[in-house]
């Protein structure tokens, strides 16, 4: 069975790269009727942030990514939190020590720093080799008897090479003597990620390991660990970086948005998922709009690119607009209601507003700025009436607004169609361009040059009395 996993560290937020890794792992499992597992890798206690596990749960829930096994869904492979698996790791550390595939390092930090400096001068082109790798059994036992603290390092062969295959980057061969001897077990008895992920992926029957490109260079060391235990190596899928437009990696510390930040900015979870799916993958067609269900059917890891992906808010915003337009109206209106001001809800029928703005909205955070004029006219410059293409200037606008008042006063049943027809009749009677009538009407009704909807639509939302009141005030304003 295909089994994939998402194994985040609880650092307090879900960044875009992490979410893409979760998405791809989820899609590989779903496409193949497999299982998707959530595992929490919390052995790096310095980076762990309180309540972060709930952030992970919440982010996956909002994204629609449902895991089959995890801390709260035991599928028989638990515990799914690394800090609860300490005894499991200890067993395998002992096996490596007994077989000579790992060794204890009793050096203090100062000793290591001095050793590394001396070693690099003597062997500038080689990775550091710890002198503790040569300790005799007697010396090791004496150090243990004195309760000296130690870490456990992986013993790397000095000869030979390690070859592995990655589904994105192909076959890769690395000379063993270029690999550093990484720490597997820290002095506090907790494993490092580099050890725990291998043990967990094997014991949890992972068929595919999907992670960021930054782990590609560590894969040979992981493979040597698999080989030390005589275990099968899973399929690797290393994902290219996601970069900013300036070419740097996305970073929370640099102010780049997390998944929750994007939701707070008014983007839909479905749009974020759609967009990040395409940051490094394409379907082989011109298609760009995908729901999660679409992706479950169409995603294939073979179409993941080796090239780094560029994240832009402009493209995400474009995709977000597509997802907003695709929402059933009732669903859109319910969400839009969360953003409408109390004043707007009291003054106009917000269903009308929602119908007016849905097609034109890019993010939900735009709602206030796009709808507040329905409640309160902004202060505006009379120069807004000047529009060469619309054949409008301040004098002609004032004259035309007077005619518009008479035109609209005669409208009986008030709706978008009847108001629009009244405007069209005035345009015909005057023998002028449509903009000569509609442009000053839009400015008088909104005080804005760009609005969600034209003059007749705005008039319909605010009603006949408010429409006539605003136009009369505009006429006085232009005198």
């Amino acid at each position: 069975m295909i089994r994939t996993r998402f194994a985040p560290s609880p650092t307090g937020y879900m960044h875009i790269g992490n979410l893409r890794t979760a998405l791809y792992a989820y899609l590989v499992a779903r496409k193949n009727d497999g299982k998707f597992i959530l595992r929490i890798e919390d052995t790096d206690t310095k980076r762990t942030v309180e309540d972060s596990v709930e952030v992970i749960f919440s982010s996956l829930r909002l994204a629609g990514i449902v895991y089959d096994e995890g801390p709260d869904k035991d599928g028989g492979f638990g515990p799914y939190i690394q800090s609860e698996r300490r005894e499991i790791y200890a067993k395998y550390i002992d096996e490596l020590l007994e077989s000579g595939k790992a060794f204890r390092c009793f050096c203090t930090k100062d000793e290591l720093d001095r050793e590394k400096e001396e070693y690099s001068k003597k062997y500038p082109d080689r990775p550091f080799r710890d002198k503790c790798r040569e300790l005799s059994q007697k010396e090791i036992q004496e150090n243990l008897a004195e309760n000296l603290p130690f870490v456990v390092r992986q013993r790397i062969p000095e000869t030979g090479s390690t070859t592995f295959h990655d589904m994105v980057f192909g076959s890769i061969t690395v000379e063993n003597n270029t690999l550093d001897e990484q720490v597997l077990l820290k002095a506090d008895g907790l494993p490092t990620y580099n050890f725990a992920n291998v043990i967990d992926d094997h014991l949890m029957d992972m068929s595919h390991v999907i992670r960021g490109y930054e782990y590609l260079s560590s894969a040979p060391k992981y493979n040597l660990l698999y080989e030390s235990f005589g275990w099968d190596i899973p399929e690797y899928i290393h994902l290219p970086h996601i970069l900013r437009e300036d070419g740097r990696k996305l970073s929370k510390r640099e102010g780049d948005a997390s998944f929750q930040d994007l939701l707070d900015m008014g983007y839909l979870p479905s749009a974020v998922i759609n967009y990040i799916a395409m940051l490094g993958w394409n379907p082989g067609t011109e298609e760009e709009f995908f729901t999660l269900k679409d992706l479950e059917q169409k995603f294939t890891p073979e179409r993941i690119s080796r090239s780094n992906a560029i994240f832009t808010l402009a493209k995400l915003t474009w995709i977000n607009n597509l997802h907003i337009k695709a929402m059933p109206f009732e669903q859109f209106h319910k969400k839009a209601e969360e953003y409408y001001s109390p004043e707007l809800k009291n003054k106009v029928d917000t269903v009308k507003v929602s119908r007016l703005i849905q097609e034109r909205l890019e993010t939900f955070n735009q709602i206030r700025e796009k709808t507040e004029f329905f409640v309160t006219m902004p202060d505006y410059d009379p120069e807004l009436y000047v529009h060469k293409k619309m054949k409008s200037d301040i004098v002609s606008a004032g004259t035309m607004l007077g005619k518009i008042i008479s035109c609209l006063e005669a409208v009986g049943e008030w709706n978008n169609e009847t108001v629009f027809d009244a405007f069209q009749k005035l345009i015909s009677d005057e023998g002028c361009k449509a903009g000569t009538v509609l442009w000053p009407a839009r400015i008088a009704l909104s005080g804005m040059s760009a609005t969600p909807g034209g003059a007749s639509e705005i008039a319909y939302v605010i009603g006949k009395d408010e429409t006539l009141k605003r136009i009369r005030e505009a006429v006085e304003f232009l005198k």
Side-chain angles (χ1 to χ4, degrees):
M1 175 183 283
I2 299 297
R3 287 175 62 85
T4 67
R5 49 71 161 176
F6 175 51
S9 298
T11 56
Y13 64 96
M14 180 77 75
H15 62 70
I16 295 304
N18 256 7
L19 185 61
R20 184 187 64 174
T21 300
L23 175 64
Y24 284 8
Y26 168 83
L27 294 175
V28 169
R30 288 292 174 267
K31 180 70 179 291
N32 296 281
D33 296 320
K35 298 289 185 182
F36 172 62
I37 290 85
L38 172 64
R39 186 173 74 223
I40 306 299
E41 300 194 337
D42 62 344
T43 58
D44 189 347
T45 54
K46 291 181 180 178
R47 296 181 63 226
T48 299
V49 177
E50 189 177 357
D51 297 329
S52 290
V53 174
E54 182 51 44
V55 172
I56 294 168
F57 289 154
S58 174
S59 297
L60 293 178
R61 186 167 55 248
L62 288 169
I65 299 174
V66 179
Y67 51 91
D68 302 294
E69 299 172 25
D72 57 342
K73 294 182 181 180
D74 194 336
F77 293 87
Y80 294 86
I81 298 177
Q82 284 187 337
S83 59
E84 298 175 7
R85 298 171 62 84
R86 186 184 296 223
E87 292 181 4
I88 296 173
Y89 305 129
K91 170 190 172 183
Y92 292 102
I93 282 289
D94 289 343
E95 284 190 28
L96 290 176
L97 289 170
E98 289 173 10
S99 66
K101 302 295 185 180
F103 64 92
R104 296 178 180 87
C105 172
F106 296 91
C107 297
T108 64
K109 182 181 183 302
D110 290 341
E111 288 173 331
L112 274 177
D113 289 343
R114 286 195 301 271
E115 285 181 41
K116 287 178 179 178
E117 184 177 353
E118 292 172 6
Y119 194 91
S120 64
K121 290 177 181 177
K122 190 174 181 179
Y123 305 108
D125 298 324
R126 298 186 194 176
F128 174 66
R129 291 295 183 255
D130 188 337
K131 67 179 183 180
C132 289
R133 76 196 310 269
E134 306 301 336
L135 289 177
S136 67
Q137 193 61 35
K138 180 183 177 183
E139 289 172 314
I140 294 171
Q141 291 304 318
E142 288 174 351
N143 288 339
L144 292 175
E146 293 181 26
N147 290 320
L148 294 182
F150 64 88
V151 300
V152 175
R153 290 184 181 274
Q154 181 178 5
R155 189 185 298 275
I156 299 292
E158 288 298 286
T159 60
S161 62
T162 299
T163 298
F164 67 98
H165 181 266
D166 181 82
M167 291 182 69
V168 176
F169 293 92
S171 181
I172 299 172
T173 298
V174 177
E175 296 300 316
N176 291 335
N177 62 12
T178 65
L179 302 173
D180 67 286
E181 296 186 309
Q182 62 187 354
V183 173
L184 304 179
L185 190 75
K186 296 178 287 187
D188 61 5
L190 282 173
T192 61
Y193 165 82
N194 291 317
F195 179 63
N197 87 89
V198 170
I199 303 303
D200 291 342
D201 286 341
H202 171 73
L203 295 181
M204 294 182 179
D205 283 353
M206 293 302 139
S207 63
H208 293 68
V209 170
I210 302 162
R211 58 188 169 217
Y213 177 81
E214 61 270 25
Y215 294 106
L216 187 67
S217 61
S218 297
K221 291 180 284 188
Y222 300 153
N223 283 15
L224 288 171
L225 287 173
Y226 281 109
E227 292 171 2
S228 295
F229 293 115
W231 296 340
D232 291 336
I233 297 170
E235 292 280 356
Y236 288 143
I237 302 175
H238 287 88
L239 308 178
H241 292 310
I242 300 176
L243 304 180
R244 298 159 51 154
E245 290 182 83
D246 61 9
R248 290 186 293 170
K249 285 180 64 177
L250 290 178
S251 168
K252 180 71 172 178
R253 279 174 286 186
E254 295 289 331
D256 295 309
S258 68
F259 177 49
Q260 187 59 54
D261 290 334
L262 292 175
L263 301 187
D264 292 342
M265 292 162 65
Y267 293 95
L268 289 169
S270 62
V272 178
I273 288 296
N274 185 162
Y275 182 49
I276 66 169
M278 301 182 70
L279 291 176
W281 172 85
N282 73 82
T285 67
E286 296 299 313
E287 191 176 2
E288 292 190 277
F289 178 89
F290 298 99
T291 65
L292 187 57
K293 289 296 182 185
D294 294 333
L295 292 168
E296 289 174 12
Q297 299 299 317
K298 298 180 180 181
F299 181 86
T300 55
E302 290 79 11
R303 295 206 61 84
I304 296 174
S305 171
R306 295 185 181 188
S307 302
N308 293 327
I310 305 298
F311 178 93
T312 69
L313 276 178
K315 186 59 177 286
L316 172 59
T317 300
W318 178 78
I319 289 177
N320 199 61
N321 172 251
L322 297 183
H323 280 260
I324 288 175
K325 290 191 288 190
M327 294 175 76
F329 176 73
E330 294 74 15
Q331 181 184 342
F332 171 80
H333 177 61
K334 182 177 179 181
K335 186 168 181 63
E337 285 271 87
E338 300 172 13
Y339 293 82
Y340 292 143
S341 68
E343 294 78 13
L344 182 71
K345 292 178 182 179
N346 289 333
K347 192 164 186 178
V348 301
D349 182 350
T350 55
V351 171
K352 296 177 182 177
V353 178
S354 291
R355 292 195 183 281
L356 187 59
I357 69 173
Q358 181 173 4
E359 293 285 315
R360 300 167 173 89
L361 200 64
E362 293 180 323
T363 72
F364 280 86
N365 279 12
Q366 294 177 338
I367 285 181
R368 284 292 180 98
E369 66 181 73
K370 288 183 177 294
T371 61
E372 280 304 287
F373 74 88
F374 288 120
V375 178
T376 305
M377 281 285 288
D379 293 331
Y380 65 94
D381 188 336
E383 289 297 320
L384 283 176
Y385 288 100
V386 179
H387 197 301
K388 187 175 181 181
K389 185 177 179 181
M390 300 297 182
K391 305 293 185 182
S392 176
D393 57 41
I394 293 176
V395 174
S396 67
T399 301
M400 184 57 67
L401 288 174
K403 297 177 180 180
I404 289 173
I405 291 173
S406 300
C407 168
L408 295 181
E409 283 178 333
V411 175
E413 182 180 355
W414 190 265
N415 56 51
N416 180 44
E417 290 73 22
T418 56
V419 175
F420 182 79
D421 288 345
F423 280 135
Q424 291 301 309
K425 184 177 185 303
L426 180 58
I427 292 166
S428 176
D429 291 346
E430 291 293 315
C432 63
K433 289 185 174 292
T436 306
V437 173
L438 299 179
W439 182 256
R442 179 202 294 262
I443 302 301
L445 294 177
S446 70
M448 300 165 62
S449 58
T451 55
S456 63
E457 293 168 305
I458 296 169
Y460 172 52
V461 172
I462 64 177
K464 184 174 184 177
D465 291 344
E466 180 67 15
T467 295
L468 293 172
K469 174 176 175 289
R470 291 187 180 191
I471 296 176
R472 290 185 182 113
E473 289 176 354
V475 171
E476 292 300 314
F477 177 71
L478 292 175
K479 285 183 179 178

